[in-house]
Amino acid sequence: VQLQASGGGLVQSGGSLRLSCAASGRTSRDSTMTWFRQNPGKEREFVAGIDWASRYTYYADSVKGRFTISRDNSKTTVYLQMNSLKPEDTGIYYCAASGGRIITSRKRDINAYNYWGLGTLVTVSS
């Protein structure tokens, strides 16, 4: 499975961006796809996730109500719509996919994901 993330850029505080993650290869319908983000010197943190089959979504508390994750089945693409951006949202955003079904308690665990894209940089200026 290959993941290609795009859509990052520079935006002012309060602005919006939409990230895309295109998946290719042998993806599983039981997969969970997620977005993580990372800043230099910090650990990669969970942002949002979606179960491919059920479309069930879940979010980090820091982005709930501002970010929306969705997927386009026909394009095997996952999107992250980011609104009301804050400077603390700055970071490299990575999309990740599991190899199959994972239990709910592990869905925010970085180690649960087998496949990773290269990341796209989001910079929010104050």
Side-chain angles (χ1 to χ4, degrees), residues 1-3 23-34 50-52 58 95-103 106-107 109-116:
V1 175
Q2 293 80 44
L3 303 175
S24 60
R26 300 186 67 178
T27 55
S28 167
R29 282 188 53 82
D30 293 328
S31 289
T32 295
M33 294 188 72
T34 57
I50 184 167
D51 292 338
W52 191 262
Y58 36 99
C95 62
S98 66
R101 191 185 307 275
I102 54 176
I103 60 175
R106 293 201 66 209
K107 288 184 178 179
D109 181 357
I110 189 174
N111 295 307
Y113 296 91
N114 305 91
Y115 308 103
W116 291 84

Side-chain angles (χ1 to χ4, degrees), residues 1-125:
V1 175
Q2 293 80 44
L3 303 175
Q4 180 68 50
S6 60
L10 173 63
V11 63
Q12 288 188 332
S13 181
S16 298
L17 281 175
R18 189 176 83 155
L19 305 183
S20 299
C21 176
S24 60
R26 300 186 67 178
T27 55
S28 167
R29 282 188 53 82
D30 293 328
S31 289
T32 295
M33 294 188 72
T34 57
W35 289 95
F36 286 76
R37 67 186 179 193
Q38 187 171 24
N39 277 306
K42 294 188 176 182
E43 292 187 353
R44 198 169 294 187
E45 64 174 355
F46 169 81
V47 176
I50 184 167
D51 292 338
W52 191 262
S54 68
R55 300 196 188 198
Y56 182 79
T57 60
Y58 36 99
Y59 300 91
D61 289 342
S62 59
V63 307
K64 201 172 293 184
R66 299 188 297 120
F67 291 10
T68 302
I69 188 170
S70 61
R71 60 104 164 145
D72 182 330
N73 201 32
S74 63
K75 295 180 181 180
T76 324
T77 300
V78 172
Y79 302 99
L80 185 67
Q81 177 67 43
M82 306 186 294
N83 299 327
S84 302
L85 282 161
K86 304 175 181 180
E88 51 264 44
D89 294 318
T90 293
I92 299 174
Y93 282 68
Y94 298 90
C95 62
S98 66
R101 191 185 307 275
I102 54 176
I103 60 175
T104 300
S105 61
R106 293 201 66 209
K107 288 184 178 179
R108 298 167 190 252
D109 181 357
I110 189 174
N111 295 307
Y113 296 91
N114 305 91
Y115 308 103
W116 291 84
L118 290 180
T120 184
L121 177 62
V122 172
T123 304
V124 184
S125 62

